Amino acid sequence: MVFDPDIAQTRFGYGLSPKVAGPADIAEMMALLRANEPEMPWFPLPSDAEMREKMLALLDARRKISKAEKGSDAQQALQKAFKTARRASKQEGAKWIGATLARRVWSRDGLRERLVAFWNDHFSAPGKNVIYRFAEPAYVANAIRPFVNGRFEDMLIAAVLHPQMLHFLDQNNSVGPNSTVAKKRSEKKLGLNENLAREILELHTLGVDGRYTQKDVRQFAELLTGVTTIQKKGTAFLAKRAEPGAETVLGKEYGSRRAQMADVHAVLRDLARHPDTARHLTRKLAVHFVSDTPDEDLLVSMGARYLETDGDLAEVVEAMLRHPAAWAPVGNGTGNFKQPEVFVSSALRALAVPKTRLREVKSPQLERLLGTPLRTMGQPWRRPFGPDGFEEGDAHWLTAQGMAARLQWALGVSTAVLQELPDPRVFVETTLGEQAPASVRFAADAAENRREGIALVLMSPAFQRV
């Protein structure tokens, strides 16, 4: 195994920075990851309680509009107030996206930031309306970020039982067929919904090839029926909605005469420790960070460590980093083509975008810098097209339209975020490191101006692949 400081930042982080030094070795990478995340008061992320209060205010305003007399002065005034609140929420959302980008640009712990993005995609729950889309940063900050260096079972519980996920997968409409609530005439519209149970088994734990059946899905869905969201409190377990009796999932019985949240936690912890989950998650990690066709011995090593530690994610990441296959140079089946979000984030890090520019970004500016370009590249910010997240395969992103969108963005980003542009001859060294190809150095030196020179570096194969 040969540790490479440039690969450490480009493959396992958001790239090189002219302002932030990278870790010196694997031990330092892991020390940074295992430590408590440093406070960044200048780029705060929202708490669940804070977000719930803002969501309730928006929902209350919308309800008042629907109850007011249609077309009346009172309704028009309420609509105007709601639009003002929505604009404020959009700006608040822009601030939180700026905070996420800031951590990618300025943190020494690029590995942590990449893992936050990876697990956020694994537990995709972008929200199905404007209010829940606004709430997504709080979900990531509280259900994903705190657990990337802990046991998978703790993240699994936090993520799949979070109000954001319960709303996204329609769990709030699920009740046990024989529950007290289902027997009420007024609640006949409610019934068993298998979405959450199916996605936990198929996407979040065992994988699409995991050893489970439709009967397991059904029984698990019945076990989950008491789980719901109370708007003013968050996630709750209501026994009157739960299917009575015990349920059997993967051959093990859970629950008893009285349904309770502890039974749900128990099955989630067992799923997290299942060998199929170890296989599914470690392959997904290796594909994301190393190669679309990862080395089999690397997968064996990571899978074994997962099972030995009951899913300690930091230990699994260290097993990946200590395997020689993780450090193979790009080529011969190793190295991935950057997804658009990684490309954009690593470019902003290479440009060392000032903290003030990220902290004070306005919603319209962020849309021009990030929103529209990422949609054109095929990866809308935190908006995957389904619960299975974004595609990992390189071929999906290597398209003519996607590359044209990257080029257009690369030509404009430097002047959009910096007052003074770096010399491309220096930029190529600080961005690509000691292994910068001679052809890219030549192109940077021959560029007609700094803007085009920077774009040439960002569009080079050396920058596009990790």
Side-chain angles (χ1 to χ4, degrees):
M1 178 195 66
V2 179
F3 172 85
D4 185 298
D6 292 346
I7 291 179
Q9 295 185 77
T10 55
R11 187 170 294 168
F12 303 108
Y14 282 104
L16 304 181
S17 166
K19 302 286 188 180
V20 183
D25 51 30
I26 293 172
E28 186 175 7
M29 292 176 73
M30 293 309 304
L32 287 168
L33 178 61
R34 286 193 171 100
N36 292 330
E37 186 174 14
E39 292 291 332
M40 293 188 179
W42 31 275
F43 285 116
L45 292 171
S47 68
D48 274 333
E50 177 188 0
M51 180 55 69
R52 193 177 305 119
E53 183 178 343
K54 294 177 185 295
M55 288 177 66
L56 287 172
L58 289 171
L59 289 168
D60 185 57
R62 199 163 63 178
R63 277 194 294 267
K64 287 179 179 177
I65 291 171
S66 65
K67 289 181 179 180
E69 183 182 350
K70 190 174 182 180
S72 65
D73 291 343
Q75 188 185 58
Q76 290 177 15
L78 288 168
Q79 288 172 337
K80 184 177 180 180
F82 180 72
K83 288 179 180 178
T84 300
R86 280 287 297 122
R87 283 195 296 271
S89 72
K90 286 184 72 174
Q91 180 51 42
E92 193 83 355
K95 180 184 75 174
W96 291 327
I97 293 173
T100 299
L101 291 173
R103 283 164 165 75
R104 295 177 181 182
V105 171
W106 290 100
S107 176
R108 288 197 70 226
D109 192 3
L111 176 58
R112 182 192 301 267
E113 299 308 314
R114 282 289 303 278
L115 287 167
V116 170
F118 170 84
W119 289 114
N120 176 38
D121 188 67
H122 181 76
F123 289 108
S124 291
K128 295 190 292 188
N129 60 38
V130 292
I131 293 178
Y132 272 92
R133 286 198 290 273
F134 165 59
E136 198 260 358
Y139 164 67
V140 179
N142 298 283
I144 304 294
R145 181 173 284 275
F147 303 101
V148 296
N149 59 0
R151 281 194 166 84
F152 177 69
E153 61 194 61
D154 296 322
M155 184 192 294
L156 177 66
I157 290 170
V160 302
L161 300 183
H162 192 278
Q164 186 81 6
M165 185 70 77
L166 301 183
H167 175 265
F168 182 61
L169 293 178
D170 303 312
Q171 178 62 25
N172 295 326
N173 297 326
S174 186
V175 301
N178 299 299
S179 67
T180 303
V181 168
K183 291 176 182 178
K184 292 182 179 179
R185 240 179 236 181
S186 61
E187 299 295 346
K188 289 297 182 183
K189 61 182 180 179
L190 297 177
L192 184 68
N193 190 301
E194 297 180 356
N195 287 358
L196 181 62
R198 187 178 306 281
E199 304 306 1
I200 290 173
L201 293 171
E202 181 176 310
L203 300 179
H204 303 147
T205 59
L206 307 179
V208 67
D209 298 322
R211 288 167 284 181
Y212 65 92
T213 66
Q214 173 56 31
K215 184 178 179 181
D216 291 314
V217 174
R218 171 84 184 192
Q219 292 274 291
F220 189 18
E222 291 182 356
L223 189 70
L224 289 166
T225 46
V227 179
T228 190
T229 301
I230 297 176
Q231 285 186 349
K232 293 185 178 181
K233 296 181 180 179
T235 301
F237 190 91
L238 301 181
K240 290 183 179 181
R241 296 169 62 98
E243 179 69 3
E247 313 294 344
T248 302
V249 182
L250 300 185
K252 183 174 179 179
E253 188 175 282
Y254 299 90
S256 57
R257 195 173 299 173
R258 179 178 174 81
Q260 53 187 341
M261 185 69 90
D263 301 320
V264 175
H265 284 199
V267 70
L268 290 174
R269 292 192 187 281
D270 286 343
L271 287 171
R273 300 185 185 200
H274 196 282
D276 286 355
T277 300
R279 172 194 52 78
H280 175 55
L281 297 185
T282 53
R283 171 171 283 277
K284 193 170 181 179
L285 275 163
V287 166
H288 181 79
F289 282 99
V290 181
S291 169
D292 285 356
T293 54
D295 179 88
E296 285 299 320
D297 189 63
L298 170 64
L299 297 177
V300 170
S301 177
M302 293 172 66
R305 196 65 188 136
Y306 185 101
L307 293 173
E308 290 165 0
T309 62
D310 291 330
D312 186 318
L313 296 176
E315 291 289 329
V316 173
V317 169
E318 183 166 6
M320 176 175 66
L321 294 179
R322 294 199 178 278
H323 196 283
W327 300 94
V330 173
N332 299 320
T334 303
N336 284 325
F337 187 72
K338 291 180 179 178
Q339 292 180 334
E341 193 180 308
V342 177
F343 163 64
V344 166
S345 300
S346 57
L348 296 177
R349 183 175 174 90
L351 290 166
V353 180
K355 296 175 182 178
T356 53
R357 183 63 62 96
L358 294 168
R359 183 174 65 237
E360 297 167 4
V361 66
K362 303 298 182 185
S363 180
Q365 296 170 334
L366 191 66
E367 178 61 26
R368 290 192 296 271
L369 175 68
L370 196 73
T372 300
L374 282 177
R375 282 195 297 274
T376 309
M377 294 177 203
Q379 191 179 29
W381 176 265
R382 299 272 170 90
R383 293 288 306 280
F385 307 112
D388 53 345
F390 287 108
E391 176 62 47
E392 288 286 356
D394 290 355
H396 181 82
W397 306 107
L398 274 165
T399 65
Q401 179 182 343
M403 293 306 294
R406 292 187 191 217
L407 175 58
Q408 184 178 10
W409 184 85
L411 282 167
V413 63
S414 58
T415 53
V417 298
L418 298 178
Q419 291 183 335
E420 184 176 345
L421 304 188
D423 185 326
R425 294 168 295 184
V426 176
F427 184 71
V428 71
E429 303 295 338
T430 59
T431 302
L432 299 180
E434 294 182 0
Q435 302 304 315
S439 58
V440 184
R441 288 193 173 100
F442 175 81
D445 184 54
E448 290 189 7
N449 55 57
R450 293 190 172 196
R451 181 179 72 95
E452 291 185 5
I454 290 169
L456 285 168
V457 175
L458 296 180
M459 289 304 298
S460 68
F463 187 80
Q464 294 287 330
R465 284 198 173 272
V466 292

